[in-house]
Amino acid sequence: NGNSIIASASLTLRFTQWIQEAYLKAPNAEAGDAFGESVSISGDTMVVGASEESGNQTTITNGTLVTSNNLQSNSGAAYVFKRTGNIWVNEAYLKAPNAEASDQFGESVSISGDTIVVGAYWEDSNQTTITNGTLLSSNNLATSSGAAYVFKRTDSTWVNEAYLKAPNAGVNDTFGNSVSISNDTIVVGAAGEASNQTTITNGTTASSDNSASFSGAAYVFKRTDSTWTNEAFLKAPNAGASDVFGDIGISINDDTIVVGATREASNQTTITNGTTASLNNSATDSGAAYVFRRNGSIWVNEAYLKAPNAGASDKFGHSASISGDTIVIGAIGEASNQTTITNGTLSSSNNLASNSGAAYVFKRAGSTWINEAFLKAPN
């Protein structure tokens, strides 16, 4: 019995210590490539975006060889790393099949199992359909409309699976500035989308109105076998100009999506469970996050999340992540000088440490979301 107790204590100590496992660099690393602009991990596979990598390659390299030329400035790239045991190796170098200068492929990345999605928010084609396979548009008729690219692995070989475009792709929509994948569903944010719609469209269409500049939107895509289709067009129920819904903070887990809007401006400090959201604009850039839930193939609004200490310029929603029934939201502009965690519904209201930042944890029971914790760095 004594030996069992000692063994248990040793194991507990071992598994509460974090160590560095690897230092990852691009095999064609150069100044200004912005390797690490985005990262995502699933099991033993990691993908890292480098949105300002400048190679002109338009194919995938499976293995360790990569382009070292700089003929397409800021075309962007993504790198796949695979772990065996505790050893990480290069598995693939991903480029857009229509890679061009300034597309910023790799601005956002996400992986689930054997599928990767990569956003290129400055891609310029005016295509408004999905291309399943490797053929895709090479025109540049809609500046910074944006695109997302899906890659699929079989054994250790990655191939192009789809080229995603918004069904209402327009100039400066920046579709692909955020991406997230869970199993066979992808959500893509477009912070520059400009429609004034305040409802969800389930299906293949999206608003072509442009009366609410940078209100932002998110698009849901679903895979059946190897074919991707449009499933929904998500808008905030209080969508307003310059809210940038879908900018960076976006995440999906199974049938739930959370989307941040860092420049949403209401002064609400409570959660709204249901389909409505505040229309006041008295706290500039306080930020908000919106929860959507799927039932069958129908997406509905589930909640409108605000920080319990929401203040102007907090930018709540700058980052977002969901796992099961828990969401965490980052607020890079939050300004309290607190150095402890608050478990519960309260959070600091002082503003003595400008832009120190905070994170907020929300928990779901059934379909009701509540505040669970207010996280601050101990330093």
mmCIF file of all heavy atoms in Angstrom, residues 299-329:
data_model
loop_
_atom_site.group_PDB
_atom_site.id
_atom_site.type_symbol
_atom_site.label_atom_id
_atom_site.label_comp_id
_atom_site.label_asym_id
_atom_site.label_seq_id
_atom_site.Cartn_x
_atom_site.Cartn_y
_atom_site.Cartn_z
ATOM 1 N N TRP A 299 -29.314 25.884 -38.381
ATOM 2 C CA TRP A 299 -28.595 26.670 -37.384
ATOM 3 C C TRP A 299 -29.496 27.750 -36.808
ATOM 4 O O TRP A 299 -30.261 28.387 -37.528
ATOM 5 C CB TRP A 299 -27.358 27.319 -38.014
ATOM 6 C CG TRP A 299 -26.282 26.331 -38.344
ATOM 7 C CD1 TRP A 299 -26.124 25.651 -39.515
ATOM 8 C CD2 TRP A 299 -25.224 25.892 -37.481
ATOM 9 N NE1 TRP A 299 -25.029 24.820 -39.445
ATOM 10 C CE2 TRP A 299 -24.455 24.946 -38.202
ATOM 11 C CE3 TRP A 299 -24.856 26.206 -36.167
ATOM 12 C CZ2 TRP A 299 -23.336 24.324 -37.655
ATOM 13 C CZ3 TRP A 299 -23.742 25.589 -35.620
ATOM 14 C CH2 TRP A 299 -22.996 24.655 -36.353
ATOM 15 N N VAL A 300 -29.404 27.940 -35.475
ATOM 16 C CA VAL A 300 -30.178 28.974 -34.789
ATOM 17 C C VAL A 300 -29.269 29.741 -33.837
ATOM 18 O O VAL A 300 -28.202 29.260 -33.436
ATOM 19 C CB VAL A 300 -31.360 28.372 -33.989
ATOM 20 C CG1 VAL A 300 -32.351 27.692 -34.929
ATOM 21 C CG2 VAL A 300 -30.862 27.399 -32.925
ATOM 22 N N ASN A 301 -29.679 30.950 -33.467
ATOM 23 C CA ASN A 301 -28.987 31.716 -32.428
ATOM 24 C C ASN A 301 -29.229 31.068 -31.072
ATOM 25 O O ASN A 301 -30.374 30.765 -30.726
ATOM 26 C CB ASN A 301 -29.521 33.153 -32.373
ATOM 27 C CG ASN A 301 -29.291 33.927 -33.646
ATOM 28 O OD1 ASN A 301 -30.213 34.078 -34.444
ATOM 29 N ND2 ASN A 301 -28.088 34.423 -33.832
ATOM 30 N N GLU A 302 -28.175 30.849 -30.307
ATOM 31 C CA GLU A 302 -28.350 30.294 -28.959
ATOM 32 C C GLU A 302 -28.053 31.308 -27.863
ATOM 33 O O GLU A 302 -28.718 31.321 -26.834
ATOM 34 C CB GLU A 302 -27.478 29.054 -28.761
ATOM 35 C CG GLU A 302 -27.779 28.343 -27.451
ATOM 36 C CD GLU A 302 -27.090 27.001 -27.295
ATOM 37 O OE1 GLU A 302 -25.847 26.974 -27.217
ATOM 38 O OE2 GLU A 302 -27.800 25.987 -27.262
ATOM 39 N N ALA A 303 -27.056 32.175 -28.073
ATOM 40 C CA ALA A 303 -26.717 33.130 -27.017
ATOM 41 C C ALA A 303 -25.901 34.303 -27.558
ATOM 42 O O ALA A 303 -25.238 34.206 -28.594
ATOM 43 C CB ALA A 303 -25.946 32.440 -25.894
ATOM 44 N N TYR A 304 -25.976 35.383 -26.815
ATOM 45 C CA TYR A 304 -25.216 36.616 -27.060
ATOM 46 C C TYR A 304 -24.387 36.846 -25.809
ATOM 47 O O TYR A 304 -24.923 37.059 -24.721
ATOM 48 C CB TYR A 304 -26.207 37.750 -27.317
ATOM 49 C CG TYR A 304 -25.694 39.173 -27.298
ATOM 50 C CD1 TYR A 304 -24.768 39.627 -28.233
ATOM 51 C CD2 TYR A 304 -26.203 40.098 -26.378
ATOM 52 C CE1 TYR A 304 -24.349 40.959 -28.236
ATOM 53 C CE2 TYR A 304 -25.800 41.424 -26.377
ATOM 54 C CZ TYR A 304 -24.866 41.848 -27.305
ATOM 55 O OH TYR A 304 -24.455 43.162 -27.324
ATOM 56 N N LEU A 305 -23.066 36.727 -25.932
ATOM 57 C CA LEU A 305 -22.166 36.803 -24.787
ATOM 58 C C LEU A 305 -21.499 38.168 -24.691
ATOM 59 O O LEU A 305 -20.972 38.688 -25.683
ATOM 60 C CB LEU A 305 -21.067 35.727 -24.898
ATOM 61 C CG LEU A 305 -21.518 34.278 -25.108
ATOM 62 C CD1 LEU A 305 -20.290 33.372 -25.206
ATOM 63 C CD2 LEU A 305 -22.451 33.813 -24.006
ATOM 64 N N LYS A 306 -21.534 38.735 -23.507
ATOM 65 C CA LYS A 306 -20.830 39.982 -23.217
ATOM 66 C C LYS A 306 -20.004 39.782 -21.948
ATOM 67 O O LYS A 306 -20.343 38.971 -21.076
ATOM 68 C CB LYS A 306 -21.815 41.134 -23.013
ATOM 69 C CG LYS A 306 -22.567 41.554 -24.266
ATOM 70 C CD LYS A 306 -21.714 42.358 -25.249
ATOM 71 C CE LYS A 306 -21.395 43.742 -24.742
ATOM 72 N NZ LYS A 306 -20.692 44.567 -25.782
ATOM 73 N N ALA A 307 -18.936 40.538 -21.832
ATOM 74 C CA ALA A 307 -18.133 40.498 -20.615
ATOM 75 C C ALA A 307 -18.908 41.137 -19.474
ATOM 76 O O ALA A 307 -19.575 42.150 -19.661
ATOM 77 C CB ALA A 307 -16.822 41.234 -20.829
ATOM 78 N N PRO A 308 -18.823 40.557 -18.265
ATOM 79 C CA PRO A 308 -19.529 41.164 -17.124
ATOM 80 C C PRO A 308 -18.958 42.516 -16.701
ATOM 81 O O PRO A 308 -19.585 43.235 -15.932
ATOM 82 C CB PRO A 308 -19.371 40.119 -16.007
ATOM 83 C CG PRO A 308 -18.229 39.265 -16.422
ATOM 84 C CD PRO A 308 -18.192 39.278 -17.916
ATOM 85 N N ASN A 309 -17.766 42.861 -17.226
ATOM 86 C CA ASN A 309 -17.194 44.195 -16.980
ATOM 87 C C ASN A 309 -16.954 44.918 -18.298
ATOM 88 O O ASN A 309 -15.984 45.674 -18.439
ATOM 89 C CB ASN A 309 -15.887 44.081 -16.197
ATOM 90 C CG ASN A 309 -14.803 43.314 -16.955
ATOM 91 O OD1 ASN A 309 -15.100 42.558 -17.870
ATOM 92 N ND2 ASN A 309 -13.546 43.506 -16.568
ATOM 93 N N ALA A 310 -17.830 44.679 -19.265
ATOM 94 C CA ALA A 310 -17.652 45.237 -20.616
ATOM 95 C C ALA A 310 -17.396 46.738 -20.575
ATOM 96 O O ALA A 310 -18.141 47.493 -19.938
ATOM 97 C CB ALA A 310 -18.889 44.942 -21.468
ATOM 98 N N GLY A 311 -16.328 47.157 -21.269
ATOM 99 C CA GLY A 311 -15.997 48.569 -21.349
ATOM 100 C C GLY A 311 -15.500 48.940 -22.721
ATOM 101 O O GLY A 311 -15.088 48.080 -23.508
ATOM 102 N N ALA A 312 -15.557 50.209 -23.033
ATOM 103 C CA ALA A 312 -15.092 50.694 -24.330
ATOM 104 C C ALA A 312 -13.650 50.247 -24.579
ATOM 105 O O ALA A 312 -12.823 50.242 -23.671
ATOM 106 C CB ALA A 312 -15.192 52.216 -24.382
ATOM 107 N N SER A 313 -13.378 49.830 -25.810
ATOM 108 C CA SER A 313 -12.048 49.429 -26.288
ATOM 109 C C SER A 313 -11.532 48.121 -25.704
ATOM 110 O O SER A 313 -10.359 47.782 -25.894
ATOM 111 C CB SER A 313 -11.013 50.543 -26.032
ATOM 112 O OG SER A 313 -11.401 51.733 -26.697
ATOM 113 N N ASP A 314 -12.375 47.345 -25.030
ATOM 114 C CA ASP A 314 -11.915 46.067 -24.470
ATOM 115 C C ASP A 314 -11.669 45.018 -25.560
ATOM 116 O O ASP A 314 -10.883 44.094 -25.363
ATOM 117 C CB ASP A 314 -12.940 45.513 -23.468
ATOM 118 C CG ASP A 314 -12.830 46.159 -22.099
ATOM 119 O OD1 ASP A 314 -11.951 47.019 -21.912
ATOM 120 O OD2 ASP A 314 -13.639 45.794 -21.220
ATOM 121 N N LYS A 315 -12.368 45.136 -26.681
ATOM 122 C CA LYS A 315 -12.222 44.197 -27.805
ATOM 123 C C LYS A 315 -12.446 42.736 -27.380
ATOM 124 O O LYS A 315 -11.730 41.826 -27.799
ATOM 125 C CB LYS A 315 -10.872 44.377 -28.487
ATOM 126 C CG LYS A 315 -10.717 45.731 -29.174
ATOM 127 C CD LYS A 315 -9.419 45.814 -29.941
ATOM 128 C CE LYS A 315 -9.370 47.056 -30.810
ATOM 129 N NZ LYS A 315 -9.381 48.315 -30.065
ATOM 130 N N PHE A 316 -13.448 42.530 -26.562
ATOM 131 C CA PHE A 316 -13.921 41.188 -26.213
ATOM 132 C C PHE A 316 -14.365 40.478 -27.487
ATOM 133 O O PHE A 316 -15.098 41.043 -28.295
ATOM 134 C CB PHE A 316 -15.093 41.360 -25.232
ATOM 135 C CG PHE A 316 -15.827 40.103 -24.855
ATOM 136 C CD1 PHE A 316 -15.448 39.365 -23.752
ATOM 137 C CD2 PHE A 316 -16.945 39.685 -25.573
ATOM 138 C CE1 PHE A 316 -16.151 38.226 -23.367
ATOM 139 C CE2 PHE A 316 -17.654 38.551 -25.209
ATOM 140 C CZ PHE A 316 -17.252 37.811 -24.101
ATOM 141 N N GLY A 317 -13.879 39.258 -27.682
ATOM 142 C CA GLY A 317 -14.180 38.529 -28.920
ATOM 143 C C GLY A 317 -13.011 38.473 -29.874
ATOM 144 O O GLY A 317 -13.109 37.872 -30.949
ATOM 145 N N HIS A 318 -11.887 39.083 -29.490
ATOM 146 C CA HIS A 318 -10.704 39.061 -30.362
ATOM 147 C C HIS A 318 -10.233 37.635 -30.612
ATOM 148 O O HIS A 318 -9.721 37.318 -31.686
ATOM 149 C CB HIS A 318 -9.587 39.886 -29.737
ATOM 150 C CG HIS A 318 -8.352 39.955 -30.581
ATOM 151 N ND1 HIS A 318 -7.303 39.088 -30.441
ATOM 152 C CD2 HIS A 318 -8.016 40.782 -31.602
ATOM 153 C CE1 HIS A 318 -6.368 39.379 -31.332
ATOM 154 N NE2 HIS A 318 -6.767 40.400 -32.043
ATOM 155 N N SER A 319 -10.390 36.767 -29.621
ATOM 156 C CA SER A 319 -10.106 35.342 -29.790
ATOM 157 C C SER A 319 -11.231 34.551 -29.142
ATOM 158 O O SER A 319 -11.867 35.021 -28.188
ATOM 159 C CB SER A 319 -8.756 34.982 -29.165
ATOM 160 O OG SER A 319 -8.695 35.413 -27.816
ATOM 161 N N ALA A 320 -11.468 33.342 -29.664
ATOM 162 C CA ALA A 320 -12.551 32.512 -29.136
ATOM 163 C C ALA A 320 -12.226 31.052 -29.377
ATOM 164 O O ALA A 320 -11.664 30.695 -30.415
ATOM 165 C CB ALA A 320 -13.877 32.876 -29.800
ATOM 166 N N SER A 321 -12.590 30.205 -28.414
ATOM 167 C CA SER A 321 -12.413 28.770 -28.598
ATOM 168 C C SER A 321 -13.492 28.032 -27.821
ATOM 169 O O SER A 321 -13.869 28.448 -26.716
ATOM 170 C CB SER A 321 -11.027 28.341 -28.125
ATOM 171 O OG SER A 321 -10.790 26.982 -28.431
ATOM 172 N N ILE A 322 -13.989 26.944 -28.413
ATOM 173 C CA ILE A 322 -15.023 26.143 -27.773
ATOM 174 C C ILE A 322 -14.611 24.680 -27.738
ATOM 175 O O ILE A 322 -14.008 24.162 -28.689
ATOM 176 C CB ILE A 322 -16.388 26.307 -28.478
ATOM 177 C CG1 ILE A 322 -17.458 25.462 -27.765
ATOM 178 C CG2 ILE A 322 -16.304 25.958 -29.956
ATOM 179 C CD1 ILE A 322 -18.867 25.722 -28.257
ATOM 180 N N SER A 323 -14.926 24.022 -26.629
ATOM 181 C CA SER A 323 -14.757 22.575 -26.492
ATOM 182 C C SER A 323 -15.935 22.067 -25.677
ATOM 183 O O SER A 323 -16.111 22.471 -24.509
ATOM 184 C CB SER A 323 -13.439 22.239 -25.796
ATOM 185 O OG SER A 323 -13.317 20.843 -25.611
ATOM 186 N N GLY A 324 -16.751 21.208 -26.271
ATOM 187 C CA GLY A 324 -17.928 20.701 -25.578
ATOM 188 C C GLY A 324 -18.848 21.823 -25.165
ATOM 189 O O GLY A 324 -19.321 22.593 -26.010
ATOM 190 N N ASP A 325 -19.084 21.960 -23.859
ATOM 191 C CA ASP A 325 -20.001 22.978 -23.346
ATOM 192 C C ASP A 325 -19.276 24.149 -22.697
ATOM 193 O O ASP A 325 -19.842 24.847 -21.845
ATOM 194 C CB ASP A 325 -20.963 22.338 -22.330
ATOM 195 C CG ASP A 325 -21.927 21.357 -22.978
ATOM 196 O OD1 ASP A 325 -22.504 21.706 -24.025
ATOM 197 O OD2 ASP A 325 -22.096 20.242 -22.453
ATOM 198 N N THR A 326 -18.028 24.374 -23.071
ATOM 199 C CA THR A 326 -17.248 25.467 -22.489
ATOM 200 C C THR A 326 -16.661 26.349 -23.581
ATOM 201 O O THR A 326 -16.106 25.850 -24.561
ATOM 202 C CB THR A 326 -16.114 24.933 -21.601
ATOM 203 O OG1 THR A 326 -16.662 24.052 -20.614
ATOM 204 C CG2 THR A 326 -15.387 26.059 -20.899
ATOM 205 N N ILE A 327 -16.803 27.643 -23.396
ATOM 206 C CA ILE A 327 -16.239 28.635 -24.323
ATOM 207 C C ILE A 327 -15.295 29.544 -23.548
ATOM 208 O O ILE A 327 -15.578 29.920 -22.399
ATOM 209 C CB ILE A 327 -17.355 29.492 -24.974
ATOM 210 C CG1 ILE A 327 -18.118 28.680 -26.025
ATOM 211 C CG2 ILE A 327 -16.791 30.770 -25.596
ATOM 212 C CD1 ILE A 327 -19.345 29.386 -26.578
ATOM 213 N N VAL A 328 -14.180 29.895 -24.164
ATOM 214 C CA VAL A 328 -13.306 30.934 -23.613
ATOM 215 C C VAL A 328 -13.168 32.035 -24.658
ATOM 216 O O VAL A 328 -13.008 31.775 -25.847
ATOM 217 C CB VAL A 328 -11.927 30.372 -23.197
ATOM 218 C CG1 VAL A 328 -11.207 29.723 -24.362
ATOM 219 C CG2 VAL A 328 -11.058 31.460 -22.568
ATOM 220 N N ILE A 329 -13.279 33.273 -24.190
ATOM 221 C CA ILE A 329 -13.215 34.452 -25.056
ATOM 222 C C ILE A 329 -12.110 35.373 -24.566
ATOM 223 O O ILE A 329 -12.029 35.684 -23.366
ATOM 224 C CB ILE A 329 -14.546 35.244 -25.035
ATOM 225 C CG1 ILE A 329 -15.733 34.354 -25.407
ATOM 226 C CG2 ILE A 329 -14.457 36.466 -25.965
ATOM 227 C CD1 ILE A 329 -15.791 33.950 -26.850
#
